[in-house]
Amino acid sequence: MPLPSVTRSLSAKLLVLTVLFVLLAEVLIYTPSIARYRLTYLEERLAAAHLAALSVEATPDMMVAMELQNELLAHVGAHAVELIRPDSRVYMLSRSMPPTVDAVFDLRAAMAPRLTADAFMALAQRRDRVIRVIGPSPKDPAFQVEMVMDERPMIQAMVDFSGRILALSVAISLIAAVLVFVSLTRLLVRPMRRLTEGLVAIRRDPDGTPPFQPSARTDEIGVAERELADMQATIRSALRQRERLAALGTAVAKINHDLRAILSTAALLSERLAESADPEVRRVTPRLMASIDRAVELCGQTMTYTRDGLLPLARTEVPLRPLVEEAGAEALAALRPDGERAEVRWNNRVPDGLTVRADAAQLSRALVNLGRNAAQAGAAAVTVTLREREGGGLVLLVADDGPGLPPRARDNLFQPFAGSARAGGVGLGLAIAREVLRAHGGDLRLAESTAAGTVFALELPAGLVVEGAGRVGELPTSDSPIPD
């Protein structure tokens, strides 16, 4: 898989996200800023109006010429001004014909939400309004100032302020984006790209890629680099082990072929020993035959286990009770370790009418392995019952009355060549049975093992029953006691 292009790389996404997030932060800052700017603008006009109105008090007869009033009002930027002193005296400046007021804004009790809403409504205003502004004088809060003014100059000043904020925001965004981009590229993006290249190289050629060299970093990137190096070493070791095992498997297959031929010859010769006139020879011949049969079985199981790999399933609709019955007949043909035929009762308590979609040969193989293990362990009876699985599906319980599994066998129960419960066993029966169940989507587990016997649970997944599904609800659950 090729690495992503520059425009689609993590670096490009990081740069774009940084710019967007900084702009978003500036927008959040702009909202109270524009409201504060409008309030400051109006307060400055009120302060100027206060000073202009005081000029009336300086005149001898409290009258100001119209020409001077117009100059004062032009300086303030208003059409009319009223200054109310604490003693209720009023000083007024006004043009001869003041315009009609379109809106009134009282700053004395205005809160932040209201000021913000008024600011954005002003920016959205398209017609030239005349507004009346009322508020305490910034020069002396004891004085109240009322002023009539055009709104358009204030809006234009707000637009200019917004433009300056936008330009500053863009500049800050670009500077921050470049700084963050350079910093994170060096700290994160480049190491991540190096890790990605290492992963791609290992996937393409696991054994031929040079060893990945982790850095001395102690953060998460350093941990990931060291884990990648360890993973590469583990993969290489596994590949080499697989090659050795493949070569060993080839050698075992050849040895197994020759060994089976030798054992076949030995079996033919052993059959003639049974016809010997010597009583001692006839007495030991069954044990010799049993040993040869076990050796042949060992060769067959070993070849089957190494050859199967992932089990291919040929699923068909199989009546469950006849399948269990046939598996029991085959399992009870086993010999005990002492060479005697196993006298074991096979109690098939699976109800009639249930059909499952499974590989009949493989599922029977798992049951045969469990039955043979029970017979060879000294069980006198094997009982197969069916339970409803919690959450859906079925559970086949294979219970025997043997002596139970020894601790060593429980520790390595499903491990090939390590989980045998009897002397001379190879531990492949349970390993193969579990593979069969897992290939069907279920599992094999040890439900119970005591001195009174052992119970294995063959879990079959939900939806396996294709006929007689209505009967599943009549079965006891898997937690129910096992019948004797």
Side-chain angles (χ1 to χ4, degrees):
M1 178 183 294
L3 293 176
S5 60
V6 176
T7 56
R8 299 177 59 186
S9 65
L10 185 61
S11 303
K13 295 177 182 178
L14 180 63
L15 180 62
V16 172
L17 288 175
T18 303
V19 173
L20 290 178
F21 289 154
V22 173
L23 287 177
L24 177 61
E26 291 294 337
V27 168
L28 297 177
I29 296 174
Y30 170 77
T31 299
S33 297
I34 191 65
R36 182 63 188 174
Y37 180 83
R38 176 179 175 274
L39 178 63
T40 301
Y41 181 93
L42 294 176
E43 288 177 343
E44 289 177 353
R45 301 282 79 75
L46 291 176
H50 182 185
L51 295 177
L54 289 178
S55 62
V56 177
E57 187 178 19
T59 58
D61 53 358
M62 305 293 289
M63 295 294 293
V64 180
M66 183 58 66
E67 182 178 355
L68 180 58
Q69 287 191 53
N70 290 336
E71 289 182 2
L72 290 173
L73 291 172
H75 176 73
V76 174
H79 297 288
V81 172
E82 293 184 7
L83 177 64
I84 304 175
R85 294 175 60 94
D87 55 7
S88 299
R89 284 184 294 172
V90 179
Y91 301 106
M92 297 183 59
L93 293 174
S94 177
R95 298 184 187 274
S96 57
M97 293 292 293
T100 303
V101 175
D102 298 312
V104 178
F105 298 98
D106 192 344
L107 304 183
R108 291 172 296 182
M111 303 298 290
R114 186 62 196 173
L115 292 173
T116 302
D118 290 341
F120 281 99
M121 289 178 63
L123 288 174
Q125 192 62 239
R126 291 294 177 264
R127 63 190 184 94
D128 296 334
R129 296 192 304 179
V130 176
I131 60 174
R132 184 181 186 88
V133 182
I134 305 172
S137 172
K139 299 297 183 182
D140 188 346
F143 288 80
Q144 177 180 310
V145 181
E146 298 185 12
M147 176 179 60
V148 177
M149 57 177 286
D150 292 326
E151 190 181 30
R152 181 54 55 185
M154 181 187 68
I155 294 176
Q156 186 60 47
M158 293 171 65
V159 170
D160 294 341
F161 173 77
S162 300
R164 294 192 298 271
I165 289 291
L166 177 61
L168 181 62
S169 300
V170 171
I172 293 176
S173 299
L174 292 177
I175 294 173
V178 170
L179 293 176
V180 172
F181 174 78
V182 172
S183 301
L184 293 184
T185 297
R186 293 178 61 86
L187 292 175
L188 294 178
V189 176
R190 286 183 181 176
M192 288 299 298
R193 180 177 290 274
R194 181 167 173 263
L195 279 172
T196 304
E197 292 173 350
L199 286 171
V200 171
I202 292 173
R203 184 189 64 83
R204 289 175 178 172
D205 188 3
D207 199 28
T209 304
F212 184 84
Q213 299 297 331
S215 64
R217 297 176 58 158
T218 58
D219 55 7
E220 289 81 356
I221 296 293
V223 172
E225 290 176 343
R226 288 187 289 275
E227 289 296 326
L228 177 59
D230 293 342
M231 182 188 71
Q232 184 183 18
T234 303
I235 291 175
R236 284 189 169 187
S237 176
L239 289 175
R240 293 191 181 98
Q241 185 177 9
R242 187 179 68 176
E243 291 177 356
R244 290 193 294 269
L245 289 176
L248 180 61
T250 302
V252 168
K254 294 179 180 179
I255 296 172
N256 183 75
H257 179 271
D258 296 338
L259 183 59
R260 286 173 67 92
I262 296 171
L263 290 174
S264 298
T265 303
L268 291 174
L269 295 175
S270 298
E271 291 178 358
R272 293 191 178 184
L273 291 177
E275 303 173 359
S276 174
D278 189 343
E280 183 64 21
V281 173
R282 288 198 304 271
R283 188 180 66 82
V284 300
T285 296
R287 294 185 181 179
L288 176 62
M289 293 293 294
S291 299
I292 294 175
D293 288 344
R294 286 199 301 272
V296 172
E297 180 186 359
L298 169 60
C299 293
Q301 287 185 345
T302 303
M303 287 303 298
T304 300
Y305 183 78
T306 56
R307 182 178 61 246
D308 282 347
L310 293 177
L311 291 176
L313 298 182
R315 295 178 183 265
T316 57
E317 295 184 3
V318 183
L320 191 55
R321 180 178 175 82
L323 182 142
V324 173
E325 194 66 33
E326 293 174 4
E330 183 178 350
L332 297 188
L335 291 174
R336 294 186 185 274
D338 57 6
E340 298 296 330
R341 285 289 174 179
E343 297 296 335
V344 182
R345 298 189 310 277
W346 183 268
N347 300 320
N348 182 5
R349 298 187 180 178
V350 175
D352 290 320
L354 284 174
T355 300
V356 297
R357 184 168 183 80
D359 188 316
Q362 297 290 358
L363 191 56
S364 176
R365 179 184 180 187
L367 289 169
V368 168
N369 287 350
L370 292 173
R372 283 183 176 174
N373 284 353
Q376 293 172 351
V382 178
T383 303
V384 182
T385 56
L386 189 65
R387 297 288 186 269
E388 184 181 3
R389 184 183 180 188
E390 292 185 1
L394 301 172
V395 177
L396 277 173
L397 295 174
V398 179
D400 65 62
D401 59 355
L405 296 173
R408 176 181 173 276
R410 296 183 193 181
D411 295 339
N412 304 286
L413 194 58
F414 299 102
Q415 295 297 321
F417 307 103
S420 177
R422 59 184 175 86
V426 293
L428 284 175
L430 290 178
I432 293 173
R434 170 174 271 190
E435 286 192 1
V436 169
L437 269 297
R438 288 184 172 179
H440 282 83
D443 202 356
L444 172 66
R445 61 181 176 83
L446 176 64
E448 181 183 5
S449 183
T450 64
T454 301
V455 181
F456 282 95
L458 289 77
E459 299 179 350
L460 301 176
L464 197 67
V465 180
V466 296
E467 186 176 335
R471 301 200 58 187
V472 175
E474 303 173 2
L475 299 173
T477 64
S478 58
D479 292 334
S480 301
I482 302 167
D484 296 332

